[in-house]
Amino acid sequence: MLAYILRRLGQSVLVMAVVSLISFSLFNFVGDPVNNMVGQEATREDRVKIYQELGLDDPIFTQYFRFVGNAVRGEFGLSYRSKRPVDELIKERLPATLELVLVSAVIALVFGIVAGVYTGIRRDGWLSKFILSSSLVGVSLPTFIIGIGLIYLFAVTLRWLPSSGRAGIVDLGWWRTSFLTLDGWRSIILPAITLSLFQLTMILRLVRSEMLEVMQTDYIKFARARGLSERAINFTHALKNTLVPVITIIGLNIGALIAFSVITETVFQWPGTGLMFIQAVDFADVPIMAAYLCFVALVFVVVNLIVDLLYVFIDPRIRITGR
Amino acid sequence: MLLEIDNLDVDFKARRLTVNAAKSVSLHVEAGEVLGLVGESGAGKSTIGNAIIDLLEPPGQVSDGSIRFNGEELRGKDEDAMRHIRGDRIGMIFQDPQTSLNPLLRIGEQLVETIQKTKRVSQAQAQQNAIELLESVGITEAKARMRSYPHEFSGGMRQRVVIALALAGDPDLIIADEPTTALDVSVQAQILDLIRGLCKTRNLGVIIVTHDIGVIANIADRVAVMYRGNIVETGDVKQILGDPQHEYTKSLISAVPPADKRLHRFASVDYIDGTGDATANTMQRIDINTHWLGKQSQLQQTHIDKDNKAPAIEVSDLSLSFKLQGAILKRNRRMLKAVDCISFAIAQGESFGLVGESGSGKSTVARLIAGLHKPDAGSVEILGQSVLGSQKDPLVKAARLNLQMIFQDPYSSLNARLRVLDIVAEPIRFYKTSDNEKHTRQIVKDLLDHVGLGADAALRYPHEFSGGQRQRISIARALASRPRVLICDEPTSALDVSIQAQILNLLKDLQEELGLTLLFISHDLPVIRQMCDRVAVMRHGAICEIAETETLFESPQHEYSQHLLKLMPRMDVFG
Amino acid sequence: MFAPWIAPFDPFDPAQISLWDGKLPPSWVEGGQEQYFLGTDNQGRDMLSTILYGGRLSILVGIAAVCLGMVLGVTLGVLSGYFGGLTDTIIMRVADVQLTIPGILLAILINGIGRTMLPLEMREDFAIYVVIFAIGLTDWPQFARVARGATLVESQKEYVQAAKVIGLPKRLIILRHVLPNTLRPVLVIATIGLALAIISEATLSFLGQGIPPTTPSLGTLIRVGNEYLFSGLWWITLFPAIALVVLVFAVNLLGDWMRDALNPKLR
């Protein structure tokens, strides 16, 4: 069991090392960092000076380890465009993204699992059939179209909710939240729904198909043959077994939410890290791209580590075999 | 009368046709007796069990007849009422203990839940009952084991837990559907003893559904024989086994390999219409000297000539370990010695048997010889040629070509995407052993005809064939390499007895005709007795005893061989 | 596919475009002109024709990207599954690392890097290929995983062992026996992958990272239209959006149907 955790931890570190290597090589692939720092009109001496200041004359390994060392402390240098430290920019915009992702994740999980279980149990009900057919439409709706549609309906036509931006922010000093005001909730609700809808349908379909699969197993048949009630079979026996694969998806799901926050934030002009990233790509602002890449990978790795640990609690087979 | 079934019809309505899985079935079970319901796959025997507790898989439904339990009609009861019958009054035991228990719940939880459902007792009382139940099915340290999860038990122990669960509601009737099929022989005997013991001490009625006549002989008081949805014969177990009346029962019993004597071939087992034993009458004997099968390809010929008198297979000090758990530190690695220093030699034309329980390493030996695993140590020689060297060496290739293998699972041993023609023709085309494509097709048709399938089979796909027919295709494919040595790895263990008898007959005929050497691997002692001249008994990767078959069966020397022979199900116990 | 024959106008022919006809609403709305059934866009192009051409482009890019991902993924996956050991470890670790970065993000990144590496004057012309490359490269781990899983299952089966005993070379065993039997799950993934690839392309284009407005795909059209949404020119966004959703929905339906049709358990 300890070996299992250690192995997972080792894998996570390995993944992060590779991702940091990729981020690092971005600096070398995309444009000339010195050019990006000083602009076209700098003299040759200036260039050499900056070249040395940045340590670009060191061997590539030294540069990489320096990059990793800095990255571990959260330092990714200055943004080419705004000339501000990248970590400061990220810290500034992180709360917006995390709050958006959190609200979406809650929406996606709660509605996805409830609807999935419902459609798995009531296979032939009209509501199940309705949910299922609309879920197929849901999978087919690109995030940005959902966003545009919601904006057009609720902001442009009905004028109930703001179309873009993040309003009603309360500064807690270390965190700028929009959870504490009505305006804040009004501005987060459309982007959160937009972001969650795709994931919601995915979770729904997954939970349903897992539920159906578990219902076919011998131990469910045996539970029936012992005369246990439908309730006990559905909720004690089936649901727990359904959750095992679903938890994996939740891990992937958080990563996907962050990825799609790039799109949602663009549509709603939500001032989060995603919007920052897309602007950075537009301007080939490598430090921000590199930092964002590491950030996303880190979130993913941490979430998956947590998921792996959760497995240990849910599935007793892992505790013994260590696999 | 505990249970009385009268003229029961069960239908499975598909879109176009309706399958009658059971036709006017009538049976009865008394308290304290074991009724064996025996039949081959597709006979409808499991359907009866499911119909009694109203758990037929859709679209199955009871269309006619009555099921009276303690005089009370069960048909037409609603789901709620049935739920109080299931578990409370009728218990069910399924085939595979690996999948019958919920892997995520402790066995204590599963037991307590069931006890509380059937009897209105307190949590503590249910705990106490659960422990007593586990003890009564022979689980030691029951109190501690309550907290274990299913995967912490062995197969036999799990089946005991399943039995405890079935007994939790103190039922009057137990329906056991192939309760020992997934278990090893030695465990099988224990479980059967347990069920029989419980039946007598608790005065239970028991229905055992099985395909295995050996099981019936060991446990049942009365037998009902099912064939294609009909009960063809019922009666006392001694009468049915000793003096069967119906033709089907007769052929079924004659297909069971007798443990006490060796037959030349199995008596006619062609009761089953359509899949008759084609090889018995229609097969033309081929003359090995003129037939294609008798020729040797250049590759085979140049390196291993016909007068070669070396042993067909000779292995010495063969060892292989599997890594159970990898670790960086060597002392942390857990290795399983699958094959441990094994040596034997098989003369040309001999039938050599390898027998042992699952996990004894007998299949691994076959795979090592066939080159599917690489041994850690030891040597393998085929017809005097060592085959562990470079696989590109023409001598090694030629020797390997002289050895072919027939596998256990007829459903996975054929590539579903290829036509039978292409499957069988593969070695002929690859080694270019025919004159041209037309000749190839002729050879394939000839081979298919020879294994009793008929030349028409060539253009069809594997899924159109039954298990026994697929095994014939496998044999034809092996013959297409023109081997002199054939390894048969449990070739009939996935087949019904009557089909098994046909395949065994076919193998015997082929061996006689083509002078093949057989390495025959099986867990089934009676089958080994019918097929082999000499036998090696394997256990934990090592050979306990090698002896002439008759000597082994009459006077086994090694303790383990004696143990195995004692457990061997005998048809003659009652006769 | 048949856009050039059914479309009433050629949106890339300057002779047929007049800015005077720009921003006209659909023909049934007041102010609409009959020859422009779905209205015109900001540059005076006929919406119906542009959508047909754009849809064709979206499908082509999607198919090309999926093919790239599939060929790459299946090759690596089958090799990984069949040979196991170090090959397997390396390929699957690479896939694992790539899967830590969500697909669309990686596509944006690869696409962005691809564009910066091209000389400025080539960026517009090669944008389509960069997009295909970016999406295809993001897709492969899915295919690799499925193909590897199927290969592991298949190569354990006895027909593969029988082929080994016959003495067939590895190349032949893989191509003739293993590969055809792994394609069933791969095809199901491919249709779902096609829907996702079309969405990815549209998303990239919508973000302004994909296909340029001169040869618009559906995503580009929606991006352009989105700027006019607030001024009430709803048709420039609505029709391409509907076209995109219908397209993806159709592909998804196909995928669902294939999954059921190819799943032996459900038959």
Side-chain angles (χ1 to χ4, degrees):
Chain A
M1 156 114 153
L2 189 67
Y4 168 80
I5 295 172
L6 282 179
R7 189 161 58 236
R8 288 296 138 110
L9 210 61
Q11 278 169 4
S12 309
V13 172
L14 194 75
V15 166
M16 284 315 293
V18 176
V19 170
S20 68
L21 189 67
I22 296 167
S23 317
F24 170 69
S25 49
L26 277 182
F27 283 93
N28 296 324
F29 272 130
V30 185
D32 176 3
V34 179
N35 254 353
N36 285 320
M37 295 287 292
V38 297
Q40 299 295 332
E41 53 294 328
T43 60
R44 209 177 163 276
E45 289 76 48
D46 280 350
R47 283 166 186 274
V48 172
K49 198 172 139 236
I50 290 175
Y51 193 74
Q52 284 165 349
E53 262 176 26
L54 288 175
L56 294 177
D57 50 349
D58 292 337
I60 198 92
F61 283 110
T62 324
Q63 286 189 47
Y64 172 61
F65 284 116
R66 188 164 52 226
F67 172 81
V68 171
N70 288 336
V72 169
R73 274 176 281 133
E75 287 172 21
F76 287 88
L78 297 183
S79 154
Y80 291 164
R81 197 157 69 100
S82 66
K83 311 286 180 229
R84 290 177 55 201
V86 171
D87 54 320
E88 212 178 287
L89 282 170
I90 289 191
K91 260 178 222 147
E92 203 174 284
R93 285 167 166 258
L94 200 56
T97 297
L98 288 184
E99 285 187 354
L100 178 61
V101 167
L102 181 72
V103 175
S104 314
V106 170
I107 296 176
L109 285 178
V110 170
F111 287 93
I113 293 180
V114 168
V117 170
Y118 179 82
T119 49
I121 295 173
R122 293 268 142 74
R123 232 168 309 168
D124 298 320
W126 64 269
L127 187 57
S128 296
K129 285 190 175 138
F130 173 74
I131 293 175
L132 220 63
S133 1
S134 24
S135 81
L136 195 62
V137 180
V139 184
S140 309
L141 279 174
T143 310
F144 64 94
I145 289 189
I146 302 172
I148 293 174
L150 289 178
I151 290 178
Y152 191 75
L153 189 62
F154 290 101
V156 179
T157 311
L158 297 173
R159 297 181 183 282
W160 288 352
L161 296 164
S163 70
S164 64
R166 188 178 183 223
I169 299 166
V170 176
D171 197 337
L172 299 176
W174 53 277
W175 190 270
R176 290 153 54 82
T177 178
S178 53
F179 286 169
L180 296 176
T181 61
L182 189 64
D183 265 354
W185 279 103
R186 275 165 49 95
S187 64
I188 205 170
I189 195 74
L190 281 189
I193 291 176
T194 305
L195 188 52
S196 65
L197 219 50
F198 187 76
Q199 297 302 324
L200 193 156
T201 47
M202 296 286 269
I203 294 176
L204 185 159
R205 292 167 75 83
L206 180 91
V207 171
R208 174 178 175 273
S209 67
E210 277 305 322
M211 197 86 182
L212 292 184
E213 195 126 298
V214 170
M215 283 305 190
Q216 297 295 319
T217 56
D218 282 358
Y219 54 83
I220 295 294
K221 210 173 141 200
F222 188 42
R224 283 234 164 81
R226 275 178 278 152
L228 298 183
S229 66
E230 282 300 309
R231 212 188 140 77
I233 289 171
N234 286 334
F235 293 102
T236 326
H237 289 264
L239 192 58
K240 207 170 172 186
N241 283 284
T242 304
L243 282 183
V244 176
V246 168
I247 282 178
T248 321
I249 295 301
I250 293 171
L252 292 167
N253 174 46
I254 303 276
L257 280 176
I258 288 184
F260 283 98
S261 73
V262 172
I263 300 151
T264 314
E265 289 180 9
T266 314
V267 176
F268 287 91
Q269 291 298 305
W270 184 261
T273 48
L275 192 59
M276 180 184 75
F277 172 70
I278 204 79
Q279 286 162 351
V281 172
D282 264 344
F283 288 93
D285 195 343
V286 175
I288 293 187
M289 283 158 74
Y292 189 73
L293 196 63
C294 289
F295 161 69
V296 170
L298 183 69
V299 171
F300 189 88
V301 162
V302 169
V303 169
N304 273 288
L305 206 60
I306 296 171
V307 166
D308 282 341
L309 293 183
L310 271 180
Y311 266 146
V312 179
F313 289 101
I314 290 194
D315 194 335
R317 284 165 291 188
I318 292 174
R319 277 178 236 164
I320 305 296
T321 57
R323 278 201 49 88
Chain B
M1 198 75 70
L2 184 60
L3 180 79
E4 197 172 9
I5 297 177
D6 227 5
N7 283 321
L8 186 74
D9 280 348
V10 179
D11 294 343
F12 284 77
K13 280 200 176 70
R15 208 175 304 158
R16 283 198 202 90
L17 73 168
T18 302
V19 180
N20 305 106
K23 298 169 206 156
S24 320
V25 166
S26 301
L27 318 152
H28 63 96
V29 185
E30 309 276 359
E33 80 164 351
V34 179
L35 172 75
L37 192 54
V38 70
E40 294 183 288
S41 51
K45 51 197 191 303
S46 292
T47 307
I48 305 279
N50 290 335
I52 294 170
I53 55 167
D54 194 20
L55 276 183
L56 284 167
E57 299 274 329
Q61 60 177 65
V62 176
S63 56
D64 199 15
S66 76
I67 304 168
R68 277 189 306 280
F69 179 67
N70 277 333
E72 191 184 351
E73 178 61 48
L74 293 186
R75 252 196 93 193
K77 285 211 175 210
D78 63 11
E79 183 58 26
D80 253 359
M82 276 316 290
R83 200 174 294 134
H84 289 291
I85 304 274
R86 289 180 212 139
D88 295 31
R89 301 177 61 195
I90 302 178
M92 192 86 187
I93 299 168
F94 289 112
Q95 171 173 353
D96 191 354
Q98 308 287 339
T99 56
S100 300
L101 297 170
N102 188 333
L104 301 186
L105 295 179
R106 295 172 201 279
I107 63 149
E109 293 173 287
Q110 302 191 40
L111 272 165
V112 167
E113 174 192 39
T114 312
I115 292 169
Q116 286 199 308
K117 175 253 156 185
T118 51
K119 301 176 196 157
R120 310 259 165 258
V121 291
S122 69
Q123 178 80 16
Q125 184 58 42
Q127 285 272 352
Q128 194 47 46
N129 288 1
I131 294 169
E132 285 161 14
L133 257 178
L134 284 180
E135 279 165 353
S136 73
V137 296
I139 287 178
T140 50
E141 294 176 50
K143 199 167 182 183
R145 310 267 11 206
M146 288 278 286
R147 295 189 52 77
S148 302
Y149 287 96
H151 69 269
E152 297 170 62
F153 289 87
S154 68
M157 283 299 168
R158 257 187 249 194
Q159 196 63 308
R160 287 174 191 267
V161 175
V162 169
I163 293 172
L165 277 166
L167 292 173
D170 254 332
D172 306 321
L173 175 71
I174 295 272
I175 302 169
D177 192 346
E178 304 270 7
T180 56
T181 307
L183 305 172
D184 262 337
V185 215
S186 49
V187 183
Q188 176 173 333
Q190 294 165 13
I191 296 291
L192 290 180
D193 279 351
L194 174 67
I195 294 176
R196 193 169 172 82
L198 289 168
C199 163
K200 301 300 167 198
T201 52
R202 297 187 172 220
N203 200 30
L204 294 172
V206 175
I207 301 178
I208 292 247
V209 176
T210 183
H211 69 281
D212 188 339
I213 300 209
V215 167
I216 295 290
N218 274 338
I219 188 173
D221 299 310
R222 283 189 311 117
V223 189
V225 183
M226 265 193 102
Y227 174 65
R228 299 220 168 159
N230 291 305
I231 291 198
V232 294
E233 194 167 359
T234 29
D236 183 73
V237 70
K238 280 181 208 161
Q239 177 256 311
I240 295 276
L241 296 184
D243 180 24
Q245 297 301 308
H246 194 272
E247 282 305 315
Y248 175 72
T249 319
K250 281 182 191 164
S251 83
L252 186 68
I253 288 172
S254 71
V256 177
D260 49 346
K261 57 176 183 285
R262 183 165 183 182
L263 304 167
H264 177 61
R265 30 181 308 136
F266 292 93
S268 164
V269 280
D270 52 0
Y271 180 81
I272 300 161
D273 29 333
T275 59
D277 188 4
T279 48
N281 319 314
T282 57
M283 191 176 78
Q284 289 180 318
R285 289 191 61 90
I286 52 176
D287 182 359
I288 191 77
N289 295 312
T290 53
H291 193 266
W292 177 84
L293 276 172
K295 292 179 197 154
Q296 293 274 293
S297 70
Q298 257 195 321
L299 188 62
Q300 280 167 305
Q301 210 166 25
T302 44
H303 299 290
I304 293 161
D305 63 77
K306 271 204 145 166
D307 304 322
N308 185 330
K309 289 278 177 279
I313 297 175
E314 182 165 19
V315 301
S316 44
D317 299 330
L318 201 61
S319 296
L320 178 68
S321 298
F322 288 124
K323 195 158 64 177
L324 279 184
Q325 200 179 343
I328 303 160
L329 291 176
K330 215 164 190 173
R331 67 187 159 87
N332 285 351
R333 282 185 203 154
R334 290 198 0 228
M335 305 294 275
L336 173 78
K337 278 194 175 166
V339 174
D340 193 4
C341 241
I342 278 191
S343 309
F344 59 81
I346 307 173
Q348 289 189 35
E350 188 183 24
S351 297
F352 188 82
L354 261 184
V355 71
E357 292 185 283
S358 61
S360 63
K362 53 191 192 307
S363 283
T364 314
V365 172
R367 277 148 201 273
L368 281 168
I369 296 170
L372 294 170
H373 291 311
K374 264 188 133 32
D376 297 335
S379 71
V380 177
E381 285 179 15
I382 299 172
L383 296 163
Q385 166 67 45
S386 166
V387 289
L388 294 180
S390 161
Q391 299 301 306
K392 297 222 165 72
D393 184 346
L395 280 167
V396 174
K397 269 192 181 171
R400 285 235 172 275
L401 204 51
N402 274 309
L403 178 135
Q404 284 299 311
M405 188 157 169
I406 294 162
F407 296 88
Q408 173 177 6
D409 179 8
Y411 292 92
S412 83
S413 60
L414 302 173
N415 186 345
R417 306 239 145 192
L418 296 180
R419 284 179 306 177
V420 171
L421 169 72
D422 298 311
I423 292 173
V424 178
E426 193 153 35
I428 306 176
R429 288 178 184 156
F430 182 70
Y431 292 104
K432 302 200 172 55
T433 48
S434 69
D435 304 334
N436 50 39
E437 178 61 24
K438 204 177 150 209
H439 187 208
T440 307
R441 286 173 185 243
Q442 191 47 52
I443 296 169
V444 170
K445 286 183 178 164
D446 198 34
L447 282 174
L448 289 172
D449 208 29
H450 200 67
V451 295
L453 273 175
D456 302 342
L459 295 179
R460 290 154 73 190
Y461 283 90
H463 68 85
E464 298 172 52
F465 295 92
S466 68
Q469 290 171 318
R470 283 163 186 245
Q471 218 50 331
R472 289 174 192 267
I473 299 173
S474 284
I475 293 172
R477 171 180 58 191
L479 291 181
S481 296
R482 294 190 288 205
R484 289 164 70 181
V485 185
L486 206 53
I487 300 179
C488 305
D489 185 4
E490 303 256 15
T492 57
S493 62
L495 305 175
D496 279 330
V497 263
S498 56
I499 311 291
Q500 163 171 295
Q502 294 174 9
I503 296 291
L504 294 181
N505 273 349
L506 174 64
L507 284 171
K508 282 184 168 209
D509 291 342
L510 287 172
Q511 185 186 19
E512 214 167 281
E513 214 172 28
L514 304 172
L516 291 171
T517 309
L518 283 188
L519 171 55
F520 196 95
I521 291 154
S522 180
H523 67 281
D524 192 334
L525 283 162
V527 168
I528 288 279
R529 183 161 206 183
Q530 300 310 310
M531 294 302 293
C532 304
D533 305 326
R534 278 197 308 143
V535 192
V537 181
M538 277 193 77
R539 184 195 197 185
H540 301 323
I543 290 182
C544 305
E545 182 173 0
I546 301 184
E548 299 283 324
T549 307
E550 293 309 307
T551 322
L552 180 87
F553 277 79
E554 296 310 325
S555 55
Q557 298 303 310
H558 194 277
E559 200 181 317
Y560 181 66
S561 316
Q562 292 164 355
H563 172 70
L564 270 187
L565 282 169
K566 208 172 67 203
L567 291 169
M568 180 170 68
R570 277 172 200 275
M571 297 264 305
D572 53 359
V573 244
F574 294 88
Chain C
M1 290 310 115
F2 306 111
W5 291 282
I6 32 174
F9 294 92
D10 179 355
F12 307 117
D13 180 4
Q16 291 187 13
I17 296 171
S18 64
L19 281 172
W20 295 109
D21 286 346
K23 306 178 191 174
L24 287 173
S27 57
W28 65 86
V29 179
E30 202 179 327
Q33 289 184 14
E34 213 161 291
Q35 74 261 42
Y36 306 122
F37 180 60
L38 296 180
T40 57
D41 71 359
N42 55 329
Q43 295 172 31
R45 294 185 289 206
D46 174 43
M47 282 308 298
L48 179 62
S49 316
T50 334
I51 288 172
L52 287 171
Y53 273 91
R56 183 173 76 140
L57 193 64
S58 293
I59 296 176
L60 287 178
V61 170
I63 291 177
V66 168
C67 286
L68 177 67
M70 184 160 75
V71 169
L72 196 66
V74 169
T75 312
L76 290 173
V78 169
L79 291 180
S80 174
Y82 190 80
F83 288 106
L86 194 63
T87 327
D88 184 31
T89 313
I90 292 173
I91 294 175
M92 286 337 277
R93 278 285 160 268
V94 173
D96 279 352
V97 170
Q98 184 170 335
L99 284 172
T100 55
I101 304 161
I104 185 72
L105 211 65
L106 199 67
I108 294 174
L109 205 69
I110 297 175
N111 190 54
I113 296 168
R115 281 148 60 98
T116 14
M117 282 167 74
L118 282 173
L120 266 177
E121 63 275 9
M122 288 164 67
R123 278 186 198 172
E124 291 229 326
D125 298 341
F126 281 87
I128 293 178
Y129 303 104
V130 175
V131 169
I132 291 174
F133 181 73
I135 298 173
L137 214 58
T138 336
D139 253 7
W140 77 268
Q142 322 262 7
F143 289 106
R145 285 196 151 184
V146 171
R148 174 178 176 269
T151 306
L152 281 178
V153 172
E154 293 303 321
S155 46
Q156 284 309 307
K157 287 197 180 161
E158 290 170 351
Y159 70 87
V160 173
Q161 301 183 346
K164 285 185 191 166
V165 175
I166 288 173
L168 300 185
K170 281 184 180 136
R171 177 178 45 85
L172 210 60
I173 296 179
I174 292 176
L175 286 179
R176 201 170 143 79
H177 293 285
V178 179
L179 192 62
N181 283 292
T182 57
L183 286 185
R184 185 189 297 225
V186 167
L187 279 180
V188 173
I189 295 284
T191 38
I192 298 165
L194 179 59
L196 287 176
I198 292 175
I199 291 183
S200 297
E201 180 276 318
T203 307
L204 280 175
S205 299
F206 173 76
L207 294 174
Q209 305 286 317
I211 290 162
T214 44
T215 53
S217 73
L218 293 176
T220 323
L221 287 174
I222 297 168
R223 169 189 171 76
V224 173
N226 194 28
E227 292 165 19
Y228 294 94
L229 193 58
F230 290 97
S231 27
L233 308 179
W234 48 270
W235 60 90
I236 308 183
T237 314
L238 181 69
F239 295 125
I242 291 177
L244 178 63
V245 172
V246 168
L247 179 62
V248 175
F249 185 66
V251 175
N252 270 330
L253 274 185
L254 183 72
D256 248 33
W257 172 81
M258 271 182 65
R259 183 167 39 201
D260 291 351
L262 293 179
N263 186 349
K265 266 194 212 160
L266 287 177
R267 253 188 283 175

